[in-house]
Amino acid sequence: MKMLINVPETVVADALRGMAAVHPELTVDVERRVVVRRDAPVAGKVGVVSGGGSGHEPLHAGFVGVGMLDAACPGEVFTSPVPDQMVRAAAAVDSGAGVLFIVKNYTGDVLNFNMAAELAEDEGVQVASVLVNDDVAVTDSLYTAGRRGTGATLFVEKIAGAAAEQGAPLERVEAIARRVNESSRSFGVALTACATPAKGGPTFDLPEGELELGVGIHGEPGRERRAMMTSGEIADFAVDAVLEDLRPAGPVLVLVNGAGGTPLLELYGFCAEVHRVLRERGVPVARTLVGNYVTSLDMAGASVTLCQVDDELLRLYDAPVRTPALRWGM
């Protein structure tokens, strides 16, 4: 397969060099693989740090900036960053108010962030951690024990990041992040497999004319394969899978997220069907975000994330944000 790269071994470094060239408001350490907002540490502010394997852009580095993350640690493609990266990020953003690690539930990420938290605390940095595990498709997978962390990561990072920006203490930022995760559920669908630079071809076999319901963001198997369905049929299946578990009692945030290879023309059409299903199920929509935010390289497909919100969470979601991939209110 054709890819716009030099060699697979330098894909992540090359991308970080490009990010550094475009975003002077960020400090990008290409060699040590850490992206930090340039004004960090902000006096009196809780530092918010996340990270994970590359290939899911703009997650996480694209969400570094005012009102969201203070730092991100990109690993190799579909591979967890190492503890040294996270310790370095925590030290760079710690103002003395502590640091929150936001961790997607993948075995490598969990182990390495836990180790990093211990190392950072040995160096005098107070660390709290929140696990994101919003995917209702499967309980265990190739990469996880328990549910996978997917689209809700954006909501957790945005809302917790806003709380930290407004000066909330570490215990409060942690509690808000946990509440967002507990109030969120996701379900993804793949129309094609993704291709990693190292492999140079599809990472799994998905026959022509079939789709994978409940796929993971690394191409992990979902619930089942079916013959290709219409956008409306997929929306019915995905939204019902989420609502069966979430059962919201109030308005929700909606993320219609592209997997990386699906154009906005299709995503907006799919969003219309998601809204139709929610309307038919009597679920009010507070806000909707559509686009490629938590991707799987070039996979064609989409995911739906719903997050039940109250006045406080909605206010924090609406709070100003300025990052490479998400910005409003400034």
Side-chain angles (χ1 to χ4, degrees):
M1 298 181 70
K2 298 176 182 177
M3 294 183 179
L4 192 62
I5 65 173
N6 291 315
V7 293
E9 293 77 14
T10 67
V11 165
V12 176
D14 291 344
L16 290 174
R17 288 192 298 108
M19 175 169 272
V22 176
H23 296 288
E25 73 276 16
L26 303 178
T27 298
V28 181
D29 188 331
V30 176
E31 181 180 352
R32 296 178 176 181
R33 306 288 172 87
V34 178
V35 179
V36 183
R37 56 187 277 186
R38 188 168 289 278
D39 60 349
V42 179
K45 179 187 179 301
V46 170
V48 184
V49 175
S50 193
S54 296
H56 305 304
E57 288 73 24
L59 191 78
H60 297 269
F63 297 144
V64 174
V66 176
M68 209 160 177
L69 296 179
D70 292 275
C73 309
E76 292 298 326
V77 173
F78 290 0
T79 303
S80 171
V82 298
D84 283 353
Q85 290 173 259
M86 303 153 192
V87 173
R88 198 170 289 117
V93 305
D94 180 40
S95 69
V99 173
L100 177 68
F101 284 165
I102 296 174
V103 188
K104 300 192 306 304
N105 189 30
Y106 295 95
T107 302
D109 289 8
V110 172
L111 291 174
N112 287 344
F113 269 101
N114 284 345
M115 186 180 300
E118 294 176 4
L119 293 170
E121 289 184 338
D122 287 343
E123 296 182 5
V125 179
Q126 183 184 5
V127 177
S129 297
V130 170
L131 191 68
V132 181
N133 57 351
D134 56 302
D135 185 5
V136 301
V138 295
T139 300
D140 298 300
S141 74
L142 300 176
Y143 292 80
T144 63
R147 289 179 168 176
R148 304 174 292 211
T150 57
T153 311
L154 181 150
F155 290 148
V156 175
E157 293 178 354
K158 171 63 187 75
I159 293 173
E165 198 71 47
Q166 294 174 11
L170 180 58
E171 308 79 44
R172 182 64 181 151
V173 177
E174 178 188 5
I176 287 171
R178 290 190 190 282
R179 184 148 60 98
V180 174
N181 177 65
E182 291 164 0
S183 302
S184 301
R185 302 289 188 276
S186 298
F187 191 92
V189 179
L191 309 184
T192 68
C194 57
T196 63
K199 185 175 176 64
T203 56
F204 63 96
D205 177 48
L206 185 56
E208 194 74 23
E210 293 187 6
L211 52 74
E212 181 91 24
L213 293 165
V215 71
I217 60 174
H218 307 97
E220 309 98 309
R223 289 186 179 181
E224 62 178 290
R225 290 187 177 180
R226 289 190 183 182
M228 187 60 194
M229 301 158 65
T230 67
S231 176
E233 290 168 340
I234 295 170
D236 280 316
F237 192 100
V239 174
D240 282 343
V242 170
L243 294 180
E244 184 179 314
D245 195 283
L246 182 60
R247 302 184 185 278
V252 297
L253 303 176
V254 179
L255 171 62
V256 174
N257 175 68
T262 303
L264 278 171
L265 180 71
E266 296 176 31
L267 290 178
Y268 275 115
F270 182 54
C271 179
E273 296 296 339
V274 169
H275 272 237
R276 171 190 58 80
V277 180
L278 291 171
R279 187 169 57 251
E280 291 173 354
R281 306 300 186 267
V283 179
V285 174
R287 304 284 187 273
T288 303
L289 187 63
V290 178
N292 290 285
Y293 293 102
V294 182
T295 63
S296 303
L297 294 167
D298 61 342
M299 181 187 290
S303 62
V304 177
T305 301
L306 303 181
C307 174
Q308 181 175 319
V309 290
D310 55 18
D311 290 343
E312 180 187 28
L313 295 187
L314 187 58
R315 176 181 59 79
L316 291 168
Y317 179 78
D318 285 341
V321 60
R322 187 173 69 244
T323 73
L326 205 66
R327 54 181 62 208
W328 58 68
M330 303 188 77

